[in-house]
Short mmCIF file of all heavy atoms in Angstrom, two decimals:
data_model
loop_
_atom_site.label_atom_id
_atom_site.label_comp_id
_atom_site.label_asym_id
_atom_site.label_seq_id
_atom_site.Cartn_x
_atom_site.Cartn_y
_atom_site.Cartn_z
N ALA A 1 -3.08 16.74 -3.19
CA ALA A 1 -2.75 18.03 -3.85
C ALA A 1 -1.56 18.67 -3.01
O ALA A 1 -0.62 19.24 -3.61
CB ALA A 1 -3.94 18.93 -3.91
N GLY A 2 -1.64 18.51 -1.64
CA GLY A 2 -0.54 19.11 -0.90
C GLY A 2 0.77 18.50 -1.06
O GLY A 2 1.75 19.22 -1.28
N ALA A 3 0.76 17.17 -1.23
CA ALA A 3 2.05 16.51 -1.49
C ALA A 3 2.61 16.91 -2.87
O ALA A 3 3.78 17.04 -3.06
CB ALA A 3 1.96 15.01 -1.36
N ASN A 4 1.71 16.98 -3.87
CA ASN A 4 2.16 17.38 -5.15
C ASN A 4 2.70 18.84 -5.18
O ASN A 4 3.69 19.07 -5.89
CB ASN A 4 0.97 17.28 -6.09
CG ASN A 4 0.54 15.93 -6.43
OD1 ASN A 4 1.34 15.03 -6.36
ND2 ASN A 4 -0.69 15.76 -7.00
N ALA A 5 2.14 19.74 -4.35
CA ALA A 5 2.65 21.03 -4.30
C ALA A 5 4.04 21.08 -3.67
O ALA A 5 4.87 21.89 -4.13
CB ALA A 5 1.66 21.93 -3.52
N ILE A 6 4.23 20.25 -2.68
CA ILE A 6 5.59 20.23 -2.04
C ILE A 6 6.59 19.75 -3.07
O ILE A 6 7.72 20.27 -3.23
CB ILE A 6 5.62 19.34 -0.85
CG1 ILE A 6 4.75 19.99 0.28
CG2 ILE A 6 7.03 18.99 -0.31
CD1 ILE A 6 4.46 19.05 1.43
N VAL A 7 6.30 18.63 -3.80
CA VAL A 7 7.32 18.14 -4.85
C VAL A 7 7.44 19.19 -5.94
O VAL A 7 8.59 19.30 -6.34
CB VAL A 7 6.68 16.89 -5.38
CG1 VAL A 7 7.50 16.39 -6.67
CG2 VAL A 7 6.63 15.77 -4.30
N MET A 8 6.40 19.82 -6.43
CA MET A 8 6.62 20.81 -7.42
C MET A 8 7.52 22.00 -6.94
O MET A 8 8.36 22.52 -7.61
CB MET A 8 5.22 21.41 -7.86
CG MET A 8 5.40 22.47 -8.99
SD MET A 8 3.71 23.06 -9.51
CE MET A 8 3.28 21.77 -10.73
N ALA A 9 7.24 22.41 -5.76
CA ALA A 9 8.10 23.52 -5.10
C ALA A 9 9.62 23.04 -5.02
O ALA A 9 10.45 23.76 -5.40
CB ALA A 9 7.69 23.89 -3.77
N ARG A 10 9.81 21.82 -4.64
CA ARG A 10 11.14 21.25 -4.43
C ARG A 10 11.79 21.25 -5.99
O ARG A 10 12.92 21.69 -6.07
CB ARG A 10 11.13 19.87 -3.95
CG ARG A 10 12.56 19.21 -3.83
CD ARG A 10 12.53 17.71 -3.93
NE ARG A 10 11.91 17.36 -5.20
CZ ARG A 10 11.93 16.13 -5.61
NH1 ARG A 10 12.50 15.21 -4.89
NH2 ARG A 10 11.49 15.81 -6.77
N ASP A 11 11.03 20.80 -6.84
CA ASP A 11 11.55 20.75 -8.24
C ASP A 11 11.91 22.14 -8.77
O ASP A 11 12.97 22.34 -9.44
CB ASP A 11 10.56 20.07 -9.20
CG ASP A 11 10.42 18.58 -8.88
OD1 ASP A 11 11.30 18.01 -8.15
OD2 ASP A 11 9.44 17.97 -9.39
N LEU A 12 11.11 23.14 -8.55
CA LEU A 12 11.37 24.43 -9.00
C LEU A 12 12.57 25.02 -8.22
O LEU A 12 13.39 25.73 -8.90
CB LEU A 12 10.16 25.39 -8.71
CG LEU A 12 8.95 25.20 -9.59
CD1 LEU A 12 7.73 25.89 -9.11
CD2 LEU A 12 9.30 25.58 -11.02
N ILE A 13 12.79 24.76 -7.01
CA ILE A 13 14.05 25.20 -6.23
C ILE A 13 15.25 24.50 -6.78
O ILE A 13 16.28 25.10 -7.07
CB ILE A 13 13.84 24.93 -4.69
CG1 ILE A 13 12.76 25.90 -4.24
CG2 ILE A 13 15.20 25.15 -4.06
CD1 ILE A 13 12.34 25.59 -2.78
N LEU A 14 15.15 23.16 -6.99
CA LEU A 14 16.31 22.38 -7.48
C LEU A 14 16.77 22.75 -8.91
O LEU A 14 17.87 22.71 -9.24
CB LEU A 14 16.12 20.92 -7.37
CG LEU A 14 16.03 20.37 -5.92
CD1 LEU A 14 15.65 18.91 -5.97
CD2 LEU A 14 17.32 20.59 -5.15
N SER A 15 15.75 23.27 -9.68
CA SER A 15 16.07 23.68 -11.01
C SER A 15 16.47 25.16 -11.17
O SER A 15 16.56 25.65 -12.26
CB SER A 15 14.89 23.29 -11.98
OG SER A 15 13.76 24.12 -11.61
N ASN A 16 16.66 25.71 -10.00
CA ASN A 16 17.11 27.16 -9.94
C ASN A 16 16.09 28.18 -10.51
O ASN A 16 16.50 29.28 -10.91
CB ASN A 16 18.47 27.31 -10.58
CG ASN A 16 19.64 26.59 -9.89
OD1 ASN A 16 19.60 26.75 -8.55
ND2 ASN A 16 20.45 25.91 -10.43
N HIS A 17 14.80 27.79 -10.52
CA HIS A 17 13.85 28.72 -10.94
C HIS A 17 13.47 29.76 -9.82
O HIS A 17 12.93 30.79 -10.08
CB HIS A 17 12.49 28.01 -11.39
CG HIS A 17 12.61 27.42 -12.77
ND1 HIS A 17 13.23 26.24 -13.06
CD2 HIS A 17 12.16 27.91 -13.92
CE1 HIS A 17 13.20 25.98 -14.32
NE2 HIS A 17 12.54 27.02 -14.89
N CYS A 18 13.74 29.41 -8.60
CA CYS A 18 13.51 30.21 -7.52
C CYS A 18 14.44 29.78 -6.28
O CYS A 18 14.87 28.67 -6.37
CB CYS A 18 12.06 30.31 -7.10
SG CYS A 18 11.43 28.71 -6.73
N ASP A 19 14.54 30.63 -5.34
CA ASP A 19 15.30 30.24 -4.05
C ASP A 19 14.47 29.79 -3.04
O ASP A 19 14.92 29.02 -2.12
CB ASP A 19 16.10 31.51 -3.58
CG ASP A 19 17.15 32.05 -4.53
OD1 ASP A 19 17.68 31.11 -5.29
OD2 ASP A 19 17.40 33.18 -4.51
N ALA A 20 13.10 30.09 -2.96
CA ALA A 20 12.24 29.70 -1.88
C ALA A 20 10.83 29.62 -2.45
O ALA A 20 10.50 30.36 -3.36
CB ALA A 20 12.34 30.62 -0.70
N MET A 21 10.02 28.83 -1.80
CA MET A 21 8.57 28.61 -2.06
C MET A 21 7.84 28.54 -0.84
O MET A 21 8.25 27.92 0.13
CB MET A 21 8.33 27.37 -2.93
CG MET A 21 8.96 27.33 -4.37
SD MET A 21 8.22 28.45 -5.50
CE MET A 21 6.72 27.64 -5.78
N ILE A 22 6.70 29.18 -0.89
CA ILE A 22 5.68 29.03 0.26
C ILE A 22 4.56 28.05 -0.32
O ILE A 22 3.97 28.34 -1.32
CB ILE A 22 5.01 30.41 0.62
CG1 ILE A 22 6.12 31.38 1.05
CG2 ILE A 22 3.91 30.20 1.65
CD1 ILE A 22 5.64 32.77 1.27
N ILE A 23 4.37 27.04 0.43
CA ILE A 23 3.36 26.02 0.07
C ILE A 23 2.22 26.09 1.09
O ILE A 23 2.40 25.96 2.33
CB ILE A 23 3.97 24.62 -0.01
CG1 ILE A 23 5.10 24.65 -0.97
CG2 ILE A 23 2.87 23.57 -0.43
CD1 ILE A 23 6.39 24.50 -0.33
N ILE A 24 1.03 26.24 0.63
CA ILE A 24 -0.19 26.34 1.54
C ILE A 24 -1.17 25.30 1.03
O ILE A 24 -1.46 25.15 -0.17
CB ILE A 24 -0.81 27.70 1.53
CG1 ILE A 24 0.17 28.79 1.93
CG2 ILE A 24 -2.02 27.80 2.40
CD1 ILE A 24 -0.22 30.16 1.73
N GLY A 25 -1.77 24.55 1.92
CA GLY A 25 -2.71 23.50 1.57
C GLY A 25 -3.92 23.57 2.48
O GLY A 25 -3.70 23.91 3.73
N VAL A 26 -5.08 23.19 2.07
CA VAL A 26 -6.33 23.18 2.87
C VAL A 26 -7.13 22.06 2.45
O VAL A 26 -7.23 21.73 1.28
CB VAL A 26 -7.02 24.58 2.82
CG1 VAL A 26 -7.49 24.89 1.40
CG2 VAL A 26 -8.16 24.66 3.76
N ASP A 27 -7.83 21.47 3.52
CA ASP A 27 -8.77 20.46 3.17
C ASP A 27 -10.07 20.77 3.90
O ASP A 27 -10.37 20.31 4.97
CB ASP A 27 -8.28 19.07 3.66
CG ASP A 27 -9.04 17.91 3.31
OD1 ASP A 27 -9.94 18.03 2.40
OD2 ASP A 27 -8.89 16.76 3.92
N PRO A 28 -10.94 21.48 3.23
CA PRO A 28 -12.18 21.98 3.75
C PRO A 28 -13.22 20.86 3.67
O PRO A 28 -13.24 20.07 2.78
CB PRO A 28 -12.59 23.22 2.90
CG PRO A 28 -12.00 22.90 1.55
CD PRO A 28 -10.68 22.16 1.89
N ILE A 29 -14.16 20.92 4.52
CA ILE A 29 -15.32 19.99 4.50
C ILE A 29 -16.49 20.75 3.85
O ILE A 29 -16.82 21.88 4.12
CB ILE A 29 -15.78 19.64 5.93
CG1 ILE A 29 -14.74 18.80 6.69
CG2 ILE A 29 -17.04 18.77 5.90
CD1 ILE A 29 -15.02 18.47 8.09
N SER A 30 -17.02 19.99 2.88
CA SER A 30 -18.23 20.54 2.18
C SER A 30 -19.35 19.61 2.44
O SER A 30 -19.21 18.53 2.83
CB SER A 30 -17.91 20.70 0.64
OG SER A 30 -17.76 19.39 0.12
N GLN A 31 -20.53 20.04 1.91
CA GLN A 31 -21.73 19.21 2.04
C GLN A 31 -21.56 17.96 1.24
O GLN A 31 -21.93 16.82 1.60
CB GLN A 31 -22.93 19.94 1.60
CG GLN A 31 -24.22 19.18 1.85
CD GLN A 31 -25.54 20.01 1.43
OE1 GLN A 31 -25.35 21.03 0.90
NE2 GLN A 31 -26.60 19.50 1.78
N LEU A 32 -20.89 18.07 0.02
CA LEU A 32 -20.61 16.96 -0.80
C LEU A 32 -19.72 15.92 -0.16
O LEU A 32 -19.91 14.72 -0.23
CB LEU A 32 -20.00 17.45 -2.12
CG LEU A 32 -19.64 16.40 -3.09
CD1 LEU A 32 -20.92 15.61 -3.66
CD2 LEU A 32 -18.92 16.96 -4.36
N THR A 33 -18.68 16.39 0.61
CA THR A 33 -17.85 15.42 1.32
C THR A 33 -18.71 14.69 2.32
O THR A 33 -18.49 13.45 2.44
CB THR A 33 -16.77 16.30 2.04
OG1 THR A 33 -16.01 17.01 1.14
CG2 THR A 33 -15.74 15.33 2.87
N CYS A 34 -19.51 15.26 3.12
CA CYS A 34 -20.24 14.57 4.13
C CYS A 34 -21.26 13.61 3.50
O CYS A 34 -21.43 12.53 3.92
CB CYS A 34 -21.04 15.71 4.91
SG CYS A 34 -20.04 16.60 6.02
N ILE A 35 -21.89 14.08 2.37
CA ILE A 35 -22.80 13.17 1.70
C ILE A 35 -22.03 11.91 1.22
O ILE A 35 -22.50 10.81 1.36
CB ILE A 35 -23.49 13.87 0.52
CG1 ILE A 35 -24.50 14.96 1.06
CG2 ILE A 35 -24.21 12.89 -0.39
CD1 ILE A 35 -25.04 15.89 0.00
N GLY A 36 -20.86 12.08 0.63
CA GLY A 36 -20.09 11.01 0.09
C GLY A 36 -19.70 10.03 1.21
O GLY A 36 -19.96 8.79 1.04
N PHE A 37 -19.21 10.45 2.34
CA PHE A 37 -18.89 9.58 3.46
C PHE A 37 -20.13 8.85 4.04
O PHE A 37 -20.10 7.70 4.43
CB PHE A 37 -18.01 10.28 4.52
CG PHE A 37 -16.56 10.38 4.17
CD1 PHE A 37 -16.04 11.60 3.88
CD2 PHE A 37 -15.80 9.28 4.15
CE1 PHE A 37 -14.69 11.77 3.53
CE2 PHE A 37 -14.45 9.34 3.80
CZ PHE A 37 -13.90 10.65 3.52
N ASN A 38 -21.22 9.59 4.05
CA ASN A 38 -22.46 9.08 4.65
C ASN A 38 -22.92 7.97 3.67
O ASN A 38 -23.44 6.88 4.16
CB ASN A 38 -23.53 10.11 4.80
CG ASN A 38 -23.47 10.82 6.20
OD1 ASN A 38 -23.06 10.26 7.10
ND2 ASN A 38 -23.83 12.11 6.16
N SER A 39 -22.83 8.19 2.34
CA SER A 39 -23.31 7.13 1.41
C SER A 39 -22.43 5.94 1.56
O SER A 39 -22.89 4.74 1.28
CB SER A 39 -23.32 7.70 -0.03
OG SER A 39 -22.04 7.87 -0.54
N LEU A 40 -21.21 6.06 1.90
CA LEU A 40 -20.33 4.86 2.10
C LEU A 40 -20.56 4.19 3.47
O LEU A 40 -19.96 3.19 3.78
CB LEU A 40 -18.84 5.22 2.04
CG LEU A 40 -18.35 5.75 0.60
CD1 LEU A 40 -17.00 6.34 0.71
CD2 LEU A 40 -18.42 4.57 -0.35
N MET A 41 -21.45 4.84 4.29
CA MET A 41 -21.64 4.37 5.72
C MET A 41 -20.39 4.29 6.51
O MET A 41 -20.17 3.34 7.29
CB MET A 41 -22.41 3.06 5.72
CG MET A 41 -23.76 3.17 5.08
SD MET A 41 -24.79 1.70 5.17
CE MET A 41 -24.00 0.60 4.10
N ALA A 42 -19.52 5.30 6.34
CA ALA A 42 -18.31 5.34 6.93
C ALA A 42 -18.26 6.26 8.16
O ALA A 42 -17.31 6.13 9.02
CB ALA A 42 -17.23 5.79 5.97
N MET A 43 -19.16 7.09 8.23
CA MET A 43 -19.28 8.10 9.40
C MET A 43 -19.75 7.39 10.59
O MET A 43 -20.61 6.53 10.62
CB MET A 43 -20.23 9.23 9.00
CG MET A 43 -19.86 10.04 7.76
SD MET A 43 -18.48 11.15 8.07
CE MET A 43 -19.31 12.42 8.87
N THR A 44 -19.25 7.83 11.82
CA THR A 44 -19.64 7.34 13.03
C THR A 44 -21.04 7.82 13.35
O THR A 44 -21.41 8.99 13.02
CB THR A 44 -18.67 7.75 14.16
OG1 THR A 44 -18.96 7.09 15.40
CG2 THR A 44 -18.63 9.18 14.35
N LYS A 45 -21.78 6.98 13.96
CA LYS A 45 -23.13 7.31 14.29
C LYS A 45 -23.24 7.73 15.77
O LYS A 45 -24.18 8.36 16.28
CB LYS A 45 -24.12 6.11 14.17
CG LYS A 45 -24.16 5.67 12.70
CD LYS A 45 -24.95 6.59 11.83
CE LYS A 45 -25.14 6.05 10.40
NZ LYS A 45 -24.81 6.99 9.34
N GLY A 46 -22.21 7.30 16.60
CA GLY A 46 -22.29 7.61 18.00
C GLY A 46 -21.09 8.47 18.44
O GLY A 46 -20.69 9.30 17.72
N GLU A 47 -20.69 8.27 19.63
CA GLU A 47 -19.57 8.98 20.23
C GLU A 47 -18.28 8.71 19.54
O GLU A 47 -18.04 7.53 19.19
CB GLU A 47 -19.50 8.58 21.76
CG GLU A 47 -18.36 9.25 22.51
CD GLU A 47 -18.36 8.77 23.92
OE1 GLU A 47 -19.35 8.20 24.39
OE2 GLU A 47 -17.28 8.91 24.51
N LEU A 48 -17.48 9.64 19.38
CA LEU A 48 -16.19 9.59 18.76
C LEU A 48 -15.30 8.79 19.71
O LEU A 48 -15.17 9.16 20.88
CB LEU A 48 -15.56 10.84 18.35
CG LEU A 48 -14.20 10.86 17.81
CD1 LEU A 48 -14.23 10.10 16.44
CD2 LEU A 48 -13.66 12.24 17.55
N LYS A 49 -14.66 7.66 19.25
CA LYS A 49 -13.78 6.83 20.02
C LYS A 49 -12.46 6.67 19.23
O LYS A 49 -12.22 5.68 18.50
CB LYS A 49 -14.35 5.49 20.31
CG LYS A 49 -15.70 5.57 21.11
CD LYS A 49 -16.26 4.19 21.26
CE LYS A 49 -17.53 4.28 22.03
NZ LYS A 49 -18.18 2.93 22.27
N VAL A 50 -11.52 7.67 19.43
CA VAL A 50 -10.30 7.64 18.73
C VAL A 50 -9.45 6.53 19.28
O VAL A 50 -9.29 6.32 20.45
CB VAL A 50 -9.57 9.09 18.96
CG1 VAL A 50 -8.29 9.02 18.21
CG2 VAL A 50 -10.51 10.23 18.44
N MET A 51 -8.77 5.78 18.29
CA MET A 51 -7.89 4.75 18.62
C MET A 51 -8.49 3.65 19.36
O MET A 51 -7.85 2.84 20.20
CB MET A 51 -6.65 5.26 19.32
CG MET A 51 -5.90 6.34 18.67
SD MET A 51 -5.30 5.91 17.12
CE MET A 51 -3.69 5.27 17.56
N ASP A 52 -9.87 3.42 19.29
CA ASP A 52 -10.53 2.42 20.04
C ASP A 52 -10.93 1.28 19.00
O ASP A 52 -11.53 1.57 17.99
CB ASP A 52 -11.83 3.02 20.60
CG ASP A 52 -12.57 2.04 21.50
OD1 ASP A 52 -12.55 0.82 21.34
OD2 ASP A 52 -13.38 2.47 22.38
N GLU A 53 -10.65 0.03 19.25
CA GLU A 53 -10.90 -1.01 18.37
C GLU A 53 -12.34 -1.26 18.24
O GLU A 53 -12.82 -1.89 17.27
CB GLU A 53 -10.22 -2.32 18.81
CG GLU A 53 -10.68 -2.86 20.12
CD GLU A 53 -9.95 -4.16 20.51
OE1 GLU A 53 -8.78 -4.19 20.29
OE2 GLU A 53 -10.66 -5.08 21.16
N ASN A 54 -13.20 -0.60 19.10
CA ASN A 54 -14.67 -0.83 19.00
C ASN A 54 -15.40 0.33 18.44
O ASN A 54 -16.54 0.55 18.53
CB ASN A 54 -15.24 -1.03 20.36
CG ASN A 54 -14.78 -2.34 20.98
OD1 ASN A 54 -14.73 -3.36 20.26
ND2 ASN A 54 -14.32 -2.28 22.25
N ARG A 55 -14.57 1.30 17.74
CA ARG A 55 -15.16 2.44 17.09
C ARG A 55 -16.11 2.04 16.02
O ARG A 55 -16.05 0.96 15.38
CB ARG A 55 -14.06 3.41 16.63
CG ARG A 55 -13.26 2.74 15.47
CD ARG A 55 -12.05 3.65 15.11
NE ARG A 55 -11.27 3.03 14.11
CZ ARG A 55 -10.29 2.15 14.27
NH1 ARG A 55 -10.02 1.73 15.58
NH2 ARG A 55 -9.56 1.64 13.32
N SER A 56 -17.06 2.99 15.67
CA SER A 56 -18.11 2.62 14.74
C SER A 56 -17.94 3.34 13.40
O SER A 56 -18.80 3.19 12.52
CB SER A 56 -19.46 2.93 15.36
OG SER A 56 -19.59 4.32 15.57
N GLY A 57 -16.93 4.06 13.26
CA GLY A 57 -16.72 4.71 11.98
C GLY A 57 -15.75 5.83 12.10
O GLY A 57 -14.94 5.93 13.07
N LEU A 58 -15.75 6.77 11.24
CA LEU A 58 -14.78 7.94 11.31
C LEU A 58 -15.52 9.23 11.44
O LEU A 58 -16.66 9.36 11.16
CB LEU A 58 -13.88 7.90 10.07
CG LEU A 58 -14.50 8.07 8.65
CD1 LEU A 58 -14.64 9.55 8.34
CD2 LEU A 58 -13.72 7.30 7.67
N LEU A 59 -14.74 10.27 11.86
CA LEU A 59 -15.35 11.64 11.99
C LEU A 59 -14.39 12.41 11.24
O LEU A 59 -13.12 12.47 11.57
CB LEU A 59 -15.32 12.02 13.51
CG LEU A 59 -15.80 13.45 13.77
CD1 LEU A 59 -17.27 13.53 13.32
CD2 LEU A 59 -15.66 13.80 15.21
N ILE A 60 -14.74 13.03 10.15
CA ILE A 60 -13.94 13.82 9.31
C ILE A 60 -13.72 15.20 9.96
O ILE A 60 -14.52 15.76 10.73
CB ILE A 60 -14.49 13.91 7.86
CG1 ILE A 60 -15.96 14.47 7.87
CG2 ILE A 60 -14.49 12.55 7.24
CD1 ILE A 60 -16.51 14.64 6.46
N GLY A 61 -12.62 15.87 9.57
CA GLY A 61 -12.34 17.13 9.99
C GLY A 61 -11.64 18.01 8.95
O GLY A 61 -11.18 17.52 7.94
N GLU A 62 -11.49 19.29 9.21
CA GLU A 62 -10.85 20.16 8.33
C GLU A 62 -9.40 20.40 8.67
O GLU A 62 -9.08 20.20 9.92
CB GLU A 62 -11.53 21.49 8.29
CG GLU A 62 -12.92 21.45 7.74
CD GLU A 62 -13.63 22.81 7.72
OE1 GLU A 62 -13.63 23.47 8.79
OE2 GLU A 62 -14.13 23.21 6.69
N GLY A 63 -8.52 20.74 7.80
CA GLY A 63 -7.15 21.01 8.16
C GLY A 63 -6.55 21.97 7.21
O GLY A 63 -6.98 22.15 6.10
N ALA A 64 -5.45 22.60 7.67
CA ALA A 64 -4.70 23.54 6.75
C ALA A 64 -3.24 23.53 7.31
O ALA A 64 -2.96 23.20 8.49
CB ALA A 64 -5.25 24.92 6.91
N ALA A 65 -2.33 23.80 6.36
CA ALA A 65 -0.93 23.85 6.71
C ALA A 65 -0.12 24.81 5.78
O ALA A 65 -0.64 25.02 4.69
CB ALA A 65 -0.27 22.55 6.65
N CYS A 66 0.84 25.38 6.24
CA CYS A 66 1.67 26.23 5.47
C CYS A 66 3.14 25.91 5.81
O CYS A 66 3.47 25.89 6.92
CB CYS A 66 1.39 27.66 5.74
SG CYS A 66 2.43 28.86 4.86
N ILE A 67 3.97 25.71 4.72
CA ILE A 67 5.42 25.45 4.95
C ILE A 67 6.23 26.34 3.98
O ILE A 67 5.64 26.77 2.93
CB ILE A 67 5.83 24.01 4.79
CG1 ILE A 67 5.54 23.48 3.39
CG2 ILE A 67 5.12 23.14 5.79
CD1 ILE A 67 6.12 22.14 3.14
N VAL A 68 7.45 26.55 4.32
CA VAL A 68 8.33 27.28 3.47
C VAL A 68 9.49 26.37 3.10
O VAL A 68 10.14 25.81 4.03
CB VAL A 68 8.90 28.57 4.04
CG1 VAL A 68 9.89 29.31 3.20
CG2 VAL A 68 7.80 29.52 4.45
N LEU A 69 9.83 26.20 1.85
CA LEU A 69 10.93 25.46 1.41
C LEU A 69 11.97 26.48 0.77
O LEU A 69 11.57 27.39 0.01
CB LEU A 69 10.61 24.44 0.31
CG LEU A 69 9.72 23.29 0.72
CD1 LEU A 69 9.54 22.32 -0.49
CD2 LEU A 69 10.29 22.50 1.84
N GLU A 70 13.24 26.32 1.08
CA GLU A 70 14.19 27.12 0.43
C GLU A 70 15.51 26.41 0.30
O GLU A 70 15.82 25.39 0.98
CB GLU A 70 14.31 28.46 1.18
CG GLU A 70 14.92 28.33 2.56
CD GLU A 70 15.10 29.74 3.30
OE1 GLU A 70 15.61 30.55 2.74
OE2 GLU A 70 14.55 29.86 4.40
N LYS A 71 16.40 26.90 -0.64
CA LYS A 71 17.70 26.34 -0.84
C LYS A 71 18.49 26.50 0.51
O LYS A 71 18.30 27.38 1.22
CB LYS A 71 18.46 27.09 -1.91
CG LYS A 71 17.89 26.94 -3.32
CD LYS A 71 18.79 27.76 -4.24
CE LYS A 71 18.36 27.54 -5.62
NZ LYS A 71 19.09 28.20 -6.66
N GLU A 72 19.26 25.50 0.66
CA GLU A 72 20.18 25.52 1.89
C GLU A 72 20.97 26.76 2.03
O GLU A 72 21.15 27.39 3.04
CB GLU A 72 21.07 24.35 1.99
CG GLU A 72 21.87 24.09 3.27
CD GLU A 72 22.69 22.90 3.34
OE1 GLU A 72 22.79 22.11 2.32
OE2 GLU A 72 23.27 22.65 4.35
N SER A 73 21.59 27.12 0.79
CA SER A 73 22.42 28.35 0.82
C SER A 73 21.66 29.66 1.25
O SER A 73 22.15 30.49 1.90
CB SER A 73 22.97 28.61 -0.61
OG SER A 73 22.03 28.74 -1.45
N SER A 74 20.42 29.64 0.80
CA SER A 74 19.51 30.84 1.14
C SER A 74 19.13 30.70 2.63
O SER A 74 19.08 31.76 3.31
CB SER A 74 18.21 30.77 0.31
OG SER A 74 17.34 31.71 0.78
N ALA A 75 18.95 29.54 3.20
CA ALA A 75 18.52 29.41 4.61
C ALA A 75 19.72 29.77 5.57
O ALA A 75 19.54 30.39 6.59
CB ALA A 75 18.08 28.01 4.88
N LEU A 76 20.91 29.41 5.08
CA LEU A 76 22.13 29.72 5.88
C LEU A 76 22.30 31.27 5.87
O LEU A 76 22.85 31.78 6.81
CB LEU A 76 23.38 28.97 5.42
CG LEU A 76 23.21 27.49 5.55
CD1 LEU A 76 24.42 26.74 4.93
CD2 LEU A 76 23.11 27.06 7.08
#
């Protein structure tokens, strides 16, 4: 959804519908998300071992970001 929002904002700017757009995205963790990954047996059961070839699964996390896109003429 975040990538789609960026492309849509770019398209609106390039088509002169606006000069700038604020794009905000969030990926919250819900109980349903945890149940889904657990049912796939993808979640780690032990200690988190990032970038370790012996890791036992993944540990999901939340994230958010905000960016501003604007025409180059507006930014200058």
Side-chain angles (χ1 to χ4, degrees):
N4 288 340
I6 292 169
V7 171
M8 181 179 278
R10 181 207 61 168
D11 290 347
L12 288 169
I13 291 170
L14 291 177
S15 64
N16 292 316
H17 281 78
C18 57
D19 293 333
M21 295 287 290
I22 300 171
I23 303 106
I24 302 170
V26 62
D27 187 14
I29 295 177
S30 67
Q31 186 176 11
L32 181 61
T33 304
C34 292
I35 290 170
F37 279 109
N38 275 326
S39 70
L40 294 170
M41 296 186 290
M43 302 282 285
T44 186
K45 300 288 188 226
E47 179 183 340
L48 178 61
K49 298 178 181 178
V50 179
M51 307 298 276
D52 185 336
E53 65 183 39
N54 297 316
R55 64 190 177 276
S56 63
L58 61 89
L59 180 65
I60 56 176
E62 296 179 309
C66 177
I67 63 171
V68 176
L69 293 182
E70 63 181 310
K71 290 182 177 181
E72 184 178 8
S73 59
S74 173
L76 294 174

